[in-house]
Amino acid sequence: VVNYAPFTLLPSAVPRALFEQAYAVQQDFNLLVDAISQNKEFLEKTLASTIKVDDFTARLFRIYMQVLEEGLAQTVFLGINRSDYMFDCGVDGTAALRQIEINTIAASFGGLTSRTADVHRLVLKVLGKTEEASRLLPNNPAKGLALGIAKAWELYGSQRAVVMFLVEDVQRNIFDQRCVEIELWNRNIRVVRKRFRDVFEQGSLDASRRLFMDGQEVAVVYYREGYVPQVYDQQNWEARLLLERSRAVKCPDIATQLAGTKKVQQELSRPGTLEKLLPGHPEASARIRATFAGLYSLDEGEEGDRIAATAIADPDRFVLKPQREGGGNNLYGEELKEVLEKIKDSPERTSYILMDKIKPQPALNYLLRAHSPLQMSECISELGIFGVYVRQGRELVLNQAAGHLLRTKAIEHADGGVAAGVAVLDTPYLV
Ligand code: ADP
Ligand code: MG
């Protein structure tokens, strides 16, 4: 079945200053994620309580440790991330940029959103808004993501080797991926699409741990899968381990995936942590910190007891987040209260973090979704900035912001992205 990707009828207003702030901090976030991924001590300490109770994170962490013990064969590192924000509306009506999360694995919609500005430009023209149409910014994350993949492929240094997109069994978002793929073919780089099961069946390493799929060498593994527990049976875990042990450039490597956990995000907000992770970059730390919302640890102890009690008393102030990706996992309001009451005295509590709930100013728009009735909705938007970086050994050879994504949803949905069927693609109209 082929459906069009859902989108808003009209572009949504975005404060120019916040949009520019989000772009300006992206290289700092790239630097930070890359630094965390190389800091074993920090990851170990930060995730210690989480991996005691969260099996999925624990399993990823075990692979991470196993690969480190053997010694890394990989020498070129490629990060593609997307830092997501909402515009928090203060009591005086001014909006502030607040990071929701940073996605360090399978950050999607950079492909499809390379087309959305064209759609909205046309809509505005049809409505006679030619002047407004001309103000929509060009945006092509697909090109930026492909540039990073191409750079990593080149540094890997084998003309014959391919780029492997690691994709889902049921490929619901194939056209988004194709936009990036086509940019690579245009650069004469071969792309193959494989599933974990294919890797289990066809993958092998040679003596220097070069990765081969049925005899074809793989330079770069670009994960568009692998971030939810349900994907992994025993064979797929083995496939994941094989990939991580290999010399191929993983986007991301397992350390970088762990750097994107909600627990890491929460620990970053502690005073002094950013500064320690980014020594010599005090301005970068300050720019990053300025985007943080309140984040709270639920680890066992007094600090966790206190914030758990506060959240139970006033659940609408918070979001309760487990270590999961992909939308639909967070808890709000009454449900937050119920769950927290149930787990507040058990170690299970430490598999979650608490975050201040961001409250943006809603605006009216039409959400267009295949097979859904068309109706005007009160909506809020989430801005994502794509980041791309490449490191060779210890040297960062590429560090860029690669474009943006605006997703908009009706206010009755607390949670969920485009893939979850809640948000739709949008274009920022800067005001
Ligand atoms: P996931 O990894 O599942 O995407 P997110 O942290 O991005 O997890 O949360 C999913 C969605 O929930 C977001 O896209 C946003 O709509 C909503 N959300 C998350 N955190 C907050 C928050 N602090 N305040 C308001 N809404 C939030
Ligand atoms: Mg998200």
Side-chain angles (χ1 to χ4, degrees):
V1 177
V2 178
N3 277 335
Y4 69 85
F7 61 100
T8 56
L9 180 61
L10 299 163
S12 293
V14 167
R16 179 185 295 275
L18 303 190
F19 183 82
E20 287 172 356
Q21 185 189 352
Y23 261 96
V25 72
Q26 187 53 46
Q27 285 170 303
D28 304 326
F29 270 117
N30 291 345
L31 212 60
L32 176 65
V33 172
D34 189 43
I36 296 169
S37 79
Q38 296 172 78
N39 194 328
K40 172 165 169 263
E41 196 194 338
F42 175 78
L43 281 174
E44 226 172 351
K45 196 165 133 243
T46 301
L47 295 173
S49 58
T50 311
I51 61 179
K52 279 194 202 133
V53 285
D54 187 89
D55 285 342
F56 181 58
T57 311
R59 201 90 202 236
L60 293 171
F61 194 80
R62 275 217 298 283
I63 293 184
Y64 168 59
M65 292 305 270
Q66 197 173 338
V67 170
L68 279 185
E69 262 159 46
E70 187 181 17
L72 291 186
Q74 183 177 346
T75 58
V76 177
F77 298 83
L78 164 65
I80 291 179
N81 62 54
R82 200 189 66 222
S83 183
D84 291 336
Y85 307 89
M86 281 182 172
F87 313 116
D88 198 22
C89 187
V91 274
D92 60 351
T94 57
L97 188 73
R98 288 287 167 261
Q99 187 183 50
I100 297 295
E101 64 157 347
I102 188 158
N103 303 280
T104 60
I105 180 167
S108 58
F109 294 105
L112 292 181
T113 206
S114 301
R115 311 287 191 268
T116 32
D118 283 343
V119 174
H120 287 122
R121 218 171 273 124
L122 176 65
V123 172
L124 288 179
K125 284 181 187 172
V126 170
L127 291 171
K129 307 266 180 201
T130 315
E131 162 64 21
E132 287 83 349
S134 71
R135 278 192 232 140
L136 294 184
L137 298 171
N139 181 36
N140 196 347
K143 213 180 182 83
L145 306 193
L147 177 82
I149 296 172
K151 186 76 194 163
W153 175 85
E154 182 194 314
L155 292 174
Y156 179 88
S158 168
Q159 283 289 327
R160 283 183 318 271
V162 300
V163 170
M164 178 165 84
F165 283 33
L166 205 291
V167 297
E168 320 92 295
D169 287 342
V170 178
Q171 301 179 19
R172 290 183 56 218
N173 205 8
I174 186 168
F175 296 115
D176 183 52
Q177 300 158 9
R178 290 282 195 210
C179 292
V180 180
E181 179 180 338
I182 286 164
E183 295 284 345
L184 292 167
W185 285 105
N186 286 344
R187 293 165 177 267
N188 299 317
I189 297 173
R190 297 188 66 81
V191 176
V192 296
R193 299 174 55 85
K194 301 283 182 185
R195 302 159 307 170
F196 273 117
R197 188 48 40 99
D198 302 320
V199 175
F200 178 79
E201 284 165 4
Q202 307 161 16
S204 63
L205 305 185
D206 73 0
S208 55
R209 284 194 265 157
R210 290 184 302 169
L211 173 66
F212 289 86
M213 288 288 289
D214 263 350
Q216 186 166 48
E217 187 173 359
V218 177
V220 179
V221 180
Y222 174 41
Y223 289 105
R224 293 298 298 255
E225 170 74 311
Y227 51 89
V228 296
Q230 298 85 311
V231 162
Y232 291 100
D233 56 14
Q234 189 49 38
Q235 295 188 343
N236 289 359
W237 277 119
E238 281 176 38
R240 180 72 196 259
L241 177 62
L242 182 91
L243 296 175
E244 294 304 321
R245 291 183 58 232
S246 79
R247 177 175 295 270
V249 183
K250 272 78 64 184
C251 178
D253 66 349
I254 200 146
T256 306
Q257 179 174 359
L258 289 169
T261 51
K262 310 275 192 289
K263 183 63 190 174
V264 166
Q265 179 187 8
Q266 172 261 302
E267 284 297 315
L268 291 176
S269 74
R270 284 191 196 278
T273 306
L274 287 176
E275 292 73 10
K276 234 184 271 164
L277 287 164
L278 293 174
H281 297 276
E283 303 86 3
S285 296
R287 279 189 297 265
I288 289 171
R289 186 170 300 286
T291 69
F292 284 173
L295 289 146
Y296 313 94
S297 166
L298 283 169
D299 283 3
E300 288 175 289
E302 211 183 303
E303 182 194 347
D305 291 345
R306 220 176 315 122
I307 197 67
T310 309
I312 287 168
D314 194 0
D316 282 329
R317 253 184 64 199
F318 299 95
V319 182
L320 183 62
K321 298 190 173 189
Q323 310 303 311
R324 291 291 172 272
E325 304 292 331
N329 301 300
N330 301 334
L331 301 166
Y332 305 80
E334 272 309 303
E335 209 184 347
L336 178 157
K337 186 174 161 183
E338 263 166 46
V339 169
L340 208 47
E341 261 168 353
K342 208 163 66 206
I343 63 173
K344 73 176 178 3
D345 298 318
S346 110
E348 196 193 334
R349 167 178 113 182
T350 58
S351 63
Y352 293 87
I353 63 149
L354 273 169
M355 181 175 185
D356 281 343
K357 189 168 170 187
I358 307 307
K359 297 179 174 156
Q361 178 72 48
L364 297 175
N365 211 328
Y366 290 92
L367 307 181
L368 278 62
R369 188 179 283 116
H371 315 303
S372 288
L374 192 56
Q375 61 188 38
M376 192 155 65
S377 308
E378 269 197 278
C379 300
I380 55 175
S381 300
E382 186 169 346
L383 174 69
I385 308 290
F386 288 96
V388 181
Y389 58 90
V390 176
R391 173 164 52 83
Q392 186 171 36
R394 304 204 68 82
E395 194 200 349
L396 210 55
V397 293
L398 186 126
N399 179 7
Q400 292 183 354
H404 56 268
L405 166 72
L406 192 71
R407 293 172 298 165
T408 293
K409 65 178 185 185
I411 52 169
E412 51 267 27
H413 298 286
D415 203 278
V418 179
V422 170
V424 309
L425 302 176
D426 198 350
T427 301
Y429 182 86
L430 299 189
V431 294

